[in-house]
Amino acid sequence: MQLTNAARQLKQRNIPFTYHSYEVDASDVSAKHVAVSLGKPLDQLYKTICLENEQRRYAFFLISGELDIDLKAAAKAWGAKKASPVPMKELEALTGYIRGGVSPIGAKKRFPVYLHDSAKQKDTIIISAGKRGYQLELTPADLLRFTDGHWFTQ
């Protein structure tokens, strides 16, 4: 099995993770589809959303699969006046990832990472491995430690 860049980086730092793969449906890259494909609960799957603020700075926000991002709460956690999703057409050039395969690990540039506090109640969470069809399962604490991440509430 070929590891993604995100998985290789975790392995190099000896951070334990489980590597999951699933059949990709290009017409449905939703968190719900991924959770069903993996046979995992939707609230264990955390989707990565790349946001930009008014100063054109960027950050990754991870929220549980059943939630929608609250942009005001994200901006507040980030110390920004406002936050908005990076336009799809700019996502790959900025991060190196395409929609449905964005990971907070191994992006072209290192951006701040914010993990929704619902993950505090989870032993492990599942995040994108940086390529459609692959996911990483790890503890929230390991993700925050690896990314120098922060908790946020919405």
Side-chain angles (χ1 to χ4, degrees):
M1 178 180 342
Q2 187 167 352
L3 295 179
T4 63
N5 188 35
R8 276 192 306 277
Q9 287 187 20
L10 290 174
K11 194 171 185 166
Q12 286 170 352
R13 294 260 304 269
N14 294 317
I15 294 180
F17 66 92
T18 303
Y19 202 49
H20 297 283
S21 63
Y22 64 94
E23 194 68 35
V24 176
D25 177 353
S27 68
D28 185 0
V29 295
S30 69
K32 184 176 183 178
H33 172 76
V34 174
V36 168
S37 297
L38 294 175
K40 299 288 187 173
L42 182 59
D43 70 348
Q44 189 180 13
L45 201 87
Y46 278 68
K47 51 193 176 186
T48 305
I49 301 163
C50 188
L51 300 181
E52 69 178 306
N53 67 16
E54 69 282 354
Q55 297 172 324
R56 291 201 51 91
R57 291 209 172 100
Y58 304 94
F60 290 124
F61 282 79
L62 286 85
I63 59 168
S64 178
E66 85 277 8
L67 299 176
D68 290 319
I69 189 81
D70 177 334
L71 295 173
K72 287 184 180 182
K76 183 178 179 185
W78 192 5
K81 289 184 179 129
K82 67 178 191 163
S84 57
V86 169
M88 265 335 124
K89 65 182 192 274
E90 297 174 22
L91 191 61
E92 187 174 6
L94 180 68
T95 66
Y97 296 131
I98 60 171
R99 181 174 177 259
V102 177
S103 179
I105 299 170
K108 281 172 118 176
K109 295 180 183 167
R110 193 174 165 113
F111 299 131
V113 172
Y114 294 86
L115 178 59
H116 189 263
D117 66 1
S118 61
K120 288 179 179 178
Q121 292 112 36
K122 310 272 190 305
D123 292 332
T124 61
I125 60 172
I126 299 170
I127 65 169
S128 175
K131 184 176 180 182
R132 288 180 184 170
Y134 299 93
Q135 298 282 310
L136 300 168
E137 183 172 350
L138 71 169
T139 68
D142 281 342
L143 174 65
L144 290 176
R145 195 168 27 258
F146 183 85
T147 62
D148 296 320
H150 313 276
W151 293 107
F152 86 102
T153 304
Q154 64 175 33

